[in-house]
């Protein structure tokens, strides 16, 4: 039995496919849990993170549709908290059932997680993360006058609200997460990158209108709990260079300097594989013997048996 402490960052396809209903998402997480239990059966201690992009987007649309003086829409930090709670509940329940199927007695707990960001992060001046519905330019201008939000044109598809995407600095609940993990509990934390909060001059926390990249939040969590391994799950078994080209090449074992060279060549798509690779590099660089793996959920069994997937090491 390995007894490694592993942070597993779930990709979006582990929760939501084409059907956004609660039932379909719960079914997807049941399948996800059966794969994750392979790591538990291997003797590993898991801390699981997850995305929430489509879910918080759908919730935002519901809030906008129902917005009124008597029932005002809630702010973005609260929507992140709500989706942390709902997805955490679904995944917690799915993991408990999957463990029971395998005869494994182990607790599972979800932690609504506040991730501290720097109030002076340049991201608050350079709003870049699009959220919510598409508007015409006229609609966006009217909405901006009403709410003082910032809107930008999005790849020819219309105008969308943009918010800050600051870097995670610390995790408020890290002691609780660490204690739970050290006491043999499976922990679900930092969902959707966590709830973005800043500290004021008195040390009090306040939620902010922002979205934290889930891969960077997962990497920071992995650092803070002294994880032995950081696994980033995505839609493919391996990271590739020249992806979807005739000379496509999978990366099996790769060093940080090699990945940095590939980044300089623009090999990885921004907003897709690039943040996963950057988060893996940051984790490996931040640990004395850091190791990260990028692979698919379906490949977890092969990863346990034969180190399948893209393994990133210092070099």
């Amino acid at each position: 039995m390995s007894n490694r402490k592993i942070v597993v960052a779930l990709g979006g396809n582990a929760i939501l496919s084409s059907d956004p209903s609660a039932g379909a998402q719960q079914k997807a997480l049941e399948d996800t849990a059966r794969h994750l239990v392979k790591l538990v059966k291997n003797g590993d201690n898991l801390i699981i993170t997850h995305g929430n992009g489509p879910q918080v987007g759908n919730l935002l649309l519901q809030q906008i549709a129902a917005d009124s003086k008597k029932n005002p829409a809630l702010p973005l930090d609260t929507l992140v908290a709500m989706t942390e709670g709902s997805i955490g509940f679904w995944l917690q329940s799915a993991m408990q059932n999957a463990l029971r199927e395998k005869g494994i007695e182990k607790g599972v707990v979800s932690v609504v997680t506040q991730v501290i960001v720097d109030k002076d992060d340049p991201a608050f001046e350079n709003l870049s993360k699009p959220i919510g519905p598409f508007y015409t330019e006229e609609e966006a201008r009217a909405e901006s006058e009403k709410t003082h939000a910032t809107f930008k044109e999005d790849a020819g598809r219309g105008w969308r609200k943009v918010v800050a995407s600051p870097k995670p600095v610390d995790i408020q609940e890290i002691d609780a997460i660490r204690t739970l993990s050290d006491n043999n509990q499976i922990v679900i934390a930092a969902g959707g990158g966590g709830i973005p909060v800043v500290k004021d001059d008195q040390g009090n926390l306040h939620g902010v209108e922002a979205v934290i990249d889930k891969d960077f939040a997962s990497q920071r969590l992995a650092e803070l709990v002294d994880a032995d391994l950081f696994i980033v799950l995505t839609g493919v078994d391996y990271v590739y260079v020249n992806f979807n080209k005739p000379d496509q090449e999978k990366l099996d074992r790769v060093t940080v300097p090699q990945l940095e060279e590939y980044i300089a060549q623009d090999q990885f798509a921004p907003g897709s594989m690039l943040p996963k690779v950057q988060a893996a590099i940051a984790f490996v660089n931040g640990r004395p013997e850091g190791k990260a793996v990028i692979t698919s959920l379906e490949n977890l069994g092969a990863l346990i048996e034969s180190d399948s997937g893209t393994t990133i090491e210092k070099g």
Side-chain angles (χ1 to χ4, degrees), residues 56-74 79 132-133 135 143 146:
V56 83
N58 289 344
L59 185 55
L60 181 62
L61 288 173
Q62 293 169 6
Q63 293 285 312
I64 292 169
D67 186 31
S68 67
K69 285 187 177 180
K70 287 188 176 181
N71 186 27
L74 297 173
L79 303 189
Y135 294 91
E143 190 69 20
K146 184 172 73 173

Side-chain angles (χ1 to χ4, degrees), residues 17-243:
S17 54
S18 57
D19 184 347
S21 69
Q25 293 182 73
Q26 287 171 295
K27 176 65 173 65
L29 283 169
E30 288 171 8
D31 297 335
T32 295
R34 291 190 181 97
H35 287 290
L36 292 175
V37 164
K38 295 171 186 175
L39 291 167
V40 181
K41 195 174 179 183
N42 190 53
D44 297 313
N45 295 318
L46 297 191
I47 299 172
I48 306 166
T49 69
H50 60 81
N52 74 339
Q55 293 84 3
V56 83
N58 289 344
L59 185 55
L60 181 62
L61 288 173
Q62 293 169 6
Q63 293 285 312
I64 292 169
D67 186 31
S68 67
K69 285 187 177 180
K70 287 188 176 181
N71 186 27
L74 297 173
L76 183 58
D77 54 344
T78 301
L79 303 189
V80 173
M82 291 167 71
T83 53
E84 269 199 306
S86 59
I87 297 170
F89 155 57
W90 293 337
L91 181 53
Q92 182 175 305
S93 177
M95 286 297 297
Q96 287 165 337
N97 291 337
L99 290 165
R100 194 175 299 112
E101 285 177 8
K102 295 295 182 182
I104 301 171
E105 290 191 15
K106 200 175 181 78
V108 187
V109 63
S110 303
V111 178
V112 175
T113 311
Q114 300 171 95
V115 175
I116 299 168
V117 300
D118 185 348
K119 60 182 170 48
D120 297 320
D121 190 307
F124 288 110
E125 297 297 323
N126 180 30
L127 307 182
S128 62
K129 180 69 176 177
I131 63 167
F134 289 92
Y135 294 91
T136 65
E137 186 173 358
E138 294 76 17
E139 289 170 337
R141 189 177 292 114
E143 190 69 20
S144 180
E145 288 174 1
K146 184 172 73 173
T147 64
H148 306 294
T150 299
F151 289 79
K152 290 184 179 179
E153 200 273 334
D154 188 345
R157 297 179 295 176
W159 291 70
R160 294 180 79 189
K161 179 179 177 179
V162 288
V163 298
S165 185
K167 288 288 194 297
V169 174
D170 204 356
I171 294 175
Q172 178 66 16
E173 291 76 21
I174 195 63
D175 288 342
I177 293 166
R178 193 183 288 119
T179 299
L180 287 162
S181 179
D182 289 346
N183 282 275
N184 207 32
Q185 303 295 297
I186 296 171
V187 186
I188 301 162
I195 305 160
V197 296
V198 296
K199 279 187 177 178
D200 63 21
D201 294 337
Q202 288 73 45
N204 298 317
L205 297 177
H206 303 277
V208 288
E209 183 95 340
V211 174
I212 302 169
D213 184 281
K214 67 180 177 61
D215 295 312
F216 291 125
S218 301
Q219 169 260 318
R220 189 73 184 111
L221 174 61
E223 276 188 343
L224 291 170
V225 299
D226 296 321
D228 299 300
L229 178 63
F230 177 39
I231 300 176
V232 182
L233 297 179
T234 185
V236 289
D237 294 351
Y238 291 86
V239 179
Y240 292 85
V241 292
N242 304 319
F243 187 59

